[in-house]
């Protein structure tokens, strides 16, 4: 199909735009595809480093539509091209402040001001990686934070998982479908995961647990070879050969700039408004501020997948379109 623009852009990049989308991962770009195709003028404030977590990934094998897999950066490039094809304008800078006391909302990017009638927050979350030598160098070379994405690469291999929360339990359980041996390494002598998840893990014969132990170094040149472990009770160190290390120690949502303006939970994940309010208004992705919607990992500590983020982006895009129609 030929290049086509569905929405009418404001004469000035400053706006007012119908929708400003903050972020540029799968949630943000999917939202933009929906808002532009819904004829809403759309500005994407995509950040200095655009594309989100998939830009740091190699092969993506679990995004539908790519039977041979697709490289993360390639997938993001395609999503961005699709959003831009329908007229979304992309600004590669970080938002520094938002002002919701007036309509249209004001969005600041350093000394530049943009305005928009509605906002979709899709700033994603960052994986918290272990602060140990070797980790950064070996991400994608045996070090991962996503078992549903990478477990099939570890068929009949020996893997370790770090963490003691629900994510670590889930990673370990997913890995048992492929790996020959799964070891959870946890810094304390008890898990914080839910009782049901703990039971499932502790009853699984493929999973071993090493308690009171920290990973002090990840060793390997081109790929991971072993872990240096330290028992934090005895101080004893040991070498633990592995083919893979899955880090599940939490995520940091990109919500700093919205602090005190948009409600978050105690870990900083943006909260959707109450379920009563969502049912009453019909906006599933609404935040506590009317006209501001949320999508993707910045509000989702549970699924954290590109495809769920894209789904949330679709919902937020549709909610914003409905809001714009009603509030015009
Ligand atoms: P989490 O509950 O915060 O657990 C993080 C784990 O990592 C903790 O066990 C923590 O140890 C450990 N940890 C943190 N920093 C570490 C470090 N520097 N070195 C070693 N270990 C470290 O995070 P999560 O498991 O990602 O879960 C996040 C939220 O999502 C939770 O509310 C969880 O219930 C929810 N979730 C639910 C499901 C489900 O329902 N199926 C699945 C996934 C996540 P300590 O325990 O010693 O602090």
């Amino acid at each position: 199909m030929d290049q086509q623009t569905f929405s009418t852009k404001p004469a000035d990049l400053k706006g007012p735009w119908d929708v400003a989308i903050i972020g540029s991962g799968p949630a943000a770009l999917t939202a933009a595809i929906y808002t532009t195709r819904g004829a809403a003028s759309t500005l994407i404030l995509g950040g200095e480093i655009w594309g989100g977590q998939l830009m740091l990934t190699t092969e993506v094998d679990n995004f539908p539509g790519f039977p041979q897999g697709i490289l993360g950066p390639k997938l993001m490039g395609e999503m961005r091209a699709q959003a831009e094809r329908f007229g979304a304008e992309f600004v590669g800078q970080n938002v520094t402040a938002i002002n919701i006391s007036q309509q249209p909302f004001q969005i600041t990017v350093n000394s530049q001001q943009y305005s928009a009638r509605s906002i979709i927050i899709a700033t994603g979350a960052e994986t918290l990686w272990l602060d140990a030598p070797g980790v950064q160098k070996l991400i994608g070379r045996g070090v991962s934070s996503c078992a549903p994405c990478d477990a099939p690469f570890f068929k009949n291999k020996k893997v370790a998982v770090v963490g003691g929360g629900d994510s670590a339990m889930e990673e370990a359980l997913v890995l048992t479908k492929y790996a020959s041996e799964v070891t959870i390494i946890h810094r304390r002598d008890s898990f914080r995961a839910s009782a049901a998840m703990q039971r499932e893990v502790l009853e699984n014969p493929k999973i071993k647990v090493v308690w009171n132990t920290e990973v002090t170094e990840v060793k390997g040149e081109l790929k991971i070879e072993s872990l240096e472990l330290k028992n934090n009770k005895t101080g004893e160190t040991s070498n633990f050969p592995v083919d893979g290390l899955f880090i599940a120690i939490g995520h940091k949502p990109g919500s700093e700039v919205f602090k005190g303006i948009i409600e978050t939970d105690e870990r900083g994940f943006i909260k959707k408004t109450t379920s009563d309010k969502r049912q009453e208004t019909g906006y599933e992705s609404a935040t506590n501020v009317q006209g501001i919607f949320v999508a993707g990992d910045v509000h989702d500590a549970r699924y954290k997948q590109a495809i769920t983020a894209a789904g949330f982006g679709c919902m937020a895009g549709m909610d914003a379109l409905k809001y714009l129609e009603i509030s015009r």
Side-chain angles (χ1 to χ4, degrees), residues 128-131 162-170 185-188 190-194 197 213-215 248-251 267 269 301-304:
L128 290 178
W129 296 102
L130 272 181
D131 184 19
V162 179
D166 282 321
S167 295
M169 305 299 113
E170 227 168 43
I185 298 162
H186 184 39
R187 64 182 179 184
R188 291 190 298 122
S190 63
F191 289 139
R192 68 168 63 235
S194 62
M197 295 282 276
T213 297
E214 290 166 37
V215 175
I249 64 170
H251 283 76
R267 292 165 299 159
F269 288 91
R302 168 75 181 83
Y303 295 98
K304 302 170 281 192

Side-chain angles (χ1 to χ4, degrees), residues 269-280:
F269 288 91
I270 303 271
K271 272 168 80 170
K272 294 199 288 193
T273 190
T274 61
S275 59
D276 281 357
K277 198 89 186 253
R278 277 182 272 145
Q279 212 150 27
E280 183 195 315

